[in-house]
Amino acid sequence: MKLLTHNMLTSHVKGVTKGYPLLIKATEVKVNEVEFNPKFVCRMIPKLEWSALVQAADQLGHRDDLPRELVPDFEKNEDFLKKVHRVLLEVEVIEGCLKCPESGREFPISRGIPNMLLNEDEA
Amino acid sequence: MAASNRSCLQYLFHLAHDNLEFRLPVTLFSHIQMSSPFWCLEGLSVEDVCSVMDRSVCAKSAFELWGHGQSHSELRTSLLSYPQEKMSPYMQKGSSYKINVYTFNKTLLFEERIKKIDAMDYLPFQGTVNLKNPQFTFCLLEDYGTDPNNIPELPNYVYFGRLIADGQRELIRSYSVKNRHFIGNTSMDAGLSFIMANHAMVKENDLVFDPFVGTGSLLVSCSHFGAYVCGTDIDYNTIHGKGRSSRKNQKWRGPDENIRANLRQYGTESMYVDVMVSDASKPVWRNAALFDAIITDPPYGIRESTRRTGSHKDTIKSPDESHVPVSQAYHLSDIFTDLLNFSAHHLVLGGRLVYWLPVYRPEYCEEMVPLHPCLRLISNCEQMLSSHTSRRLITMEKIKEPEELDSLAHLSDPHFSGYQKHNAFREKYFSGLNKRSGKDDTKADVSGK
């Protein structure tokens, strides 16, 4: 699971109102090399919840020097875009789980794929 | 389209004679004969033509039209009145060219083609003929009608033009599911996948989502156009690439069979974002306009079962499945209501939803196409599956952000609930085939044909 996806996911356990962002507990994390595409990164940045991204990168120990606040005028800042690219698309959780911050319910991640299915009683 | 570049030139599009219904809806040009393989369009720039040919799998070639007529003598008159100054850049001494002859609905012998080319010697070509690698290619196109049992002696219509660009029909072969690493029973064929990506106007750097992703065929074609892709499916095995193979000689899927591997096969792995096991009726996304396009082929309840999580009796058993909750029937009409609602909330403004709607033809009427106050219906193209069933490719565009009550619109306004009858789609599908009576569509375990 990449952090771009994680940034857009929320807990949908019945009754939960503060299900975002999901906490990440990772037992295996991989960093792949993915072709850097500044245009795509620029398009995604406005859609992100920045603090959730920083928090997630922190939880994985891959925050490096990603700034706590979004840098203004980021479109021209290739250095910054490269850092965002790395965190959004190159860091991947292979094994672990996503945890609902309110209910504590855990969604397993295996082989890089989260399983978000709820049980009958939670739906 | 750039108005400043529009020429008064006419362009001739030569279209492939399949998937007739799905040619990019060109609403500006209403005088076109839908079933004809030749479309003459004006008011375009050469950039427009090239950008269409750059992605169309329906168009074979596009030409700058120099002349046309109902006979060769009319063609000659037409060509001789085409401005010399527009012809001469392509007929210079020292340049090379070749002339092709294309005949629709008729086969000509080699000698006959040569004769036709020779008969055009009134054209002031000054360059030399080069059949292997010409600078400029021209084509004489003859239309012998659409009835293969009644081929006329002389063509109904003839055209002559300069080739601008060929289309992307080759993608149908190079992306064929026959050669794809990972396929399923209902993997979308390459041609239709590209048509769907075109209907959604998928472009570079878009983020595209498929909520019923299956084996990812739709994501593959979107990635070809430079979009980043993600998908979900309720079936754990399909998402993980496990379970029984859909190939004839293979029993179980191999280790390299999954959606990511498919993208890797075509060199687009960098466009892979994520796939997840998830129930489309219970979306997991935060409430924001995230996706540029949503492209999907929802289950019809025929070859893949429709299901969702919730309390019910039946259980699906498959090898290696872990943590898959019990499923219940997911009524077809609910699938589409949910899909439209989801799209209204999670598409960017101007973003498109493209999906297949299964239809029982004897009862079909336009009112059955699901609507939503935030989405505008762009097109509705039918593909026949059998005499009494078809599916329709529906394209919708988000035109406004949803308000509180929009998601409930289908309950109050009958205009939005025309698809209720579709819950019986599976019943009708089977009753026509093998006269089984009233197959109850609340059973969750139908995975047959």
Side-chain angles (χ1 to χ4, degrees):
Chain A
M1 182 202 66
K2 303 189 183 183
L3 293 187
L4 171 59
T5 310
H6 168 264
N7 196 268
M8 302 189 290
L9 294 179
T10 187
S11 168
H12 55 308
V13 174
K14 204 160 155 190
V16 162
T17 49
K18 295 202 181 75
Y20 180 86
L22 293 159
L23 304 165
I24 315 179
K25 282 162 54 173
T27 51
E28 189 187 330
V29 176
K30 239 177 112 183
V31 180
N32 300 307
E33 207 181 298
V34 176
E35 199 182 317
F36 173 56
N37 180 351
K39 289 205 181 103
F40 179 70
V41 180
C42 283
R43 289 196 80 223
M44 290 301 112
I45 288 176
K47 297 184 189 180
L48 301 171
E49 287 286 335
W50 188 257
S51 50
L53 179 68
V54 176
Q55 184 185 63
D58 243 338
Q59 282 171 16
L60 295 183
H62 278 273
R63 189 179 145 208
D64 298 339
D65 44 359
L66 191 71
R68 197 152 280 284
E69 299 285 324
L70 187 55
V71 160
D73 274 337
F74 55 78
E75 287 97 341
K76 306 270 171 59
N77 192 336
E78 186 166 296
D79 231 21
F80 174 73
L81 292 178
K82 279 203 169 125
K83 288 181 190 158
V84 181
H85 163 80
R86 186 172 178 278
V87 164
L88 284 183
L89 296 174
E90 291 189 330
V91 176
E92 267 191 77
V93 179
I94 305 296
E95 299 289 330
C97 69
L98 296 168
K99 185 169 165 163
C100 171
E102 190 176 316
S103 67
R105 210 291 195 180
E106 292 189 351
F107 299 96
I109 301 175
S110 67
R111 280 178 291 255
I113 296 172
N115 183 340
M116 307 302 292
L117 293 178
L118 292 169
N119 289 320
E120 311 75 71
D121 47 331
E122 298 168 300
Chain B
M1 297 191 192
S4 53
N5 283 331
R6 266 186 223 181
S7 58
C8 16
L9 290 176
Q10 280 199 314
Y11 291 97
L12 175 69
F13 285 84
H14 175 206
L15 304 168
H17 204 63
D18 60 19
N19 289 323
L20 298 184
E21 286 274 327
F22 298 87
R23 294 162 173 177
L24 277 172
V26 273
T27 50
L28 299 170
F29 311 107
S30 51
H31 60 273
I32 292 170
Q33 212 200 328
M34 273 306 285
S35 59
S36 166
F38 301 110
W39 282 6
C40 272
L41 305 178
E42 319 182 304
L44 300 168
S45 67
V46 74
E47 288 82 19
D48 295 332
V49 173
C50 286
S51 63
V52 168
M53 297 311 286
D54 213 22
R55 42 191 306 164
S56 173
V57 292
C58 294
K60 284 183 158 174
S61 311
F63 304 92
E64 184 182 73
L65 189 62
W66 285 13
H68 57 107
Q70 288 180 316
S71 65
H72 275 273
S73 63
E74 271 188 34
L75 173 66
R76 182 194 164 113
T77 314
S78 173
L79 277 170
L80 291 175
S81 61
Y82 189 73
Q84 267 287 338
E85 65 272 15
K86 291 212 171 103
M87 282 196 195
S88 50
Y90 310 105
M91 298 173 131
Q92 300 288 323
K93 210 159 176 175
S95 69
S96 63
Y97 73 99
K98 86 166 164 164
I99 300 179
N100 288 328
V101 177
Y102 177 79
T103 53
F104 180 73
N105 198 30
K106 185 161 188 161
T107 320
L108 289 186
L109 296 170
F110 179 72
E111 300 83 54
E112 292 170 300
R113 290 172 189 273
I114 299 295
K115 259 172 83 179
K116 287 183 192 279
I117 296 175
D118 289 341
M120 306 202 69
D121 57 1
Y122 53 86
L123 288 171
F125 280 105
Q126 291 190 339
T128 45
V129 173
N130 183 332
L131 297 179
K132 281 222 165 82
N133 212 8
Q135 269 176 292
F136 309 111
T137 305
F138 298 88
C139 199
L140 168 68
L141 301 111
E142 296 187 326
D143 187 353
Y144 287 86
T146 49
D147 187 351
N149 297 316
N150 191 10
I151 303 173
E153 181 63 37
L154 295 172
N156 295 337
Y157 215 87
V158 291
Y159 309 84
F160 185 86
R162 176 179 69 88
L163 177 70
I164 296 184
D166 288 323
Q168 304 302 313
R169 303 241 348 129
E170 164 60 22
L171 292 176
I172 297 175
R173 190 202 62 82
S174 54
Y175 276 80
S176 167
V177 281
K178 282 190 278 212
N179 303 320
R180 195 166 303 166
H181 284 327
F182 176 48
I183 58 168
N185 293 340
T186 52
S187 290
M188 186 71 52
D189 79 66
L192 284 175
S193 300
F194 283 108
I195 287 175
M196 288 178 81
N198 279 332
H199 275 231
M201 305 212 300
V202 169
K203 54 200 181 301
E204 231 184 316
N205 303 324
D206 273 357
L207 183 61
V208 176
F209 175 61
D210 183 349
F212 300 97
V213 72
T215 55
S217 335
L218 301 181
L219 299 188
V220 166
S221 48
C222 291
S223 73
H224 175 82
F225 289 129
Y228 288 74
V229 295
C230 54
T232 59
D233 203 284
I234 200 172
D235 190 299
Y236 180 94
N237 284 335
T238 308
I239 289 285
H240 280 266
K242 294 171 152 207
R244 288 188 181 276
S245 173
S246 293
R247 299 207 127 93
K248 204 169 93 170
N249 303 323
Q250 202 183 334
K251 190 159 179 207
W252 300 105
R253 291 188 167 129
D256 193 31
E257 292 188 47
N258 54 52
I259 296 171
R260 193 169 195 157
N262 278 346
L263 292 182
R264 193 181 306 134
Q265 179 183 357
Y266 301 111
T268 53
E269 195 179 352
S270 57
M271 324 305 300
Y272 176 88
V273 176
D274 270 307
V275 296
M276 300 185 289
V277 184
S278 178
D279 180 344
S281 72
K282 300 185 176 61
V284 296
W285 310 92
R286 65 172 155 88
N287 204 14
L290 304 166
F291 305 115
D292 297 288
I294 294 171
I295 304 184
T296 193
D297 182 21
Y300 316 149
I302 305 292
R303 282 154 76 207
E304 305 286 6
S305 53
T306 61
R307 51 195 166 110
R308 61 176 161 187
T309 53
S311 44
H312 197 68
K313 339 136 196 157
D314 302 85
T315 349
I316 313 286
K317 287 176 178 57
S318 12
D320 240 311
E321 220 166 309
S322 64
H323 190 214
V324 175
V326 160
S327 306
Q328 64 168 194
Y330 192 6
H331 286 294
L332 273 176
S333 62
D334 288 345
I335 290 183
F336 301 109
T337 313
D338 287 348
L339 182 60
L340 265 65
N341 214 25
F342 178 87
S343 304
H345 282 88
H346 295 161
L347 275 174
V348 303
L349 214 52
R352 287 190 172 191
L353 163 67
V354 178
Y355 72 96
W356 287 101
L357 183 72
V359 154
Y360 182 65
R361 301 186 82 229
E363 290 178 9
Y364 172 75
C365 60
E366 249 182 84
E367 285 70 35
M368 297 183 101
V369 177
L371 295 179
H372 190 288
C374 300
L375 305 171
R376 178 168 68 105
L377 181 64
I378 304 272
S379 65
N380 169 357
C381 305
E382 183 184 35
Q383 180 192 35
M384 272 182 56
L385 300 173
S386 70
S387 59
H388 57 289
T389 59
S390 66
R391 58 182 178 180
R392 290 181 164 268
L393 189 64
I394 308 291
T395 303
M396 304 187 90
E397 189 171 292
K398 177 167 170 177
I399 50 172
K400 72 177 179 92
E401 293 295 341
E403 293 153 53
E404 267 289 322
L405 296 175
D406 284 338
S407 48
L408 302 173
H410 67 286
L411 293 176
S412 58
D413 188 336
H415 189 52
F416 293 121
S417 63
Y419 199 73
Q420 290 308 313
K421 290 182 189 175
H422 277 70
N423 285 332
F425 175 74
R426 213 164 63 198
E427 197 179 296
K428 291 170 177 156
Y429 181 91
F430 284 119
S431 73
L433 285 182
N434 44 26
K435 298 185 174 71
R436 252 182 265 174
S437 64
K439 192 162 171 84
D440 185 19
D441 82 321
T442 57
K443 286 201 169 87
D445 60 348
V446 173
S447 54
K449 314 130 203 88

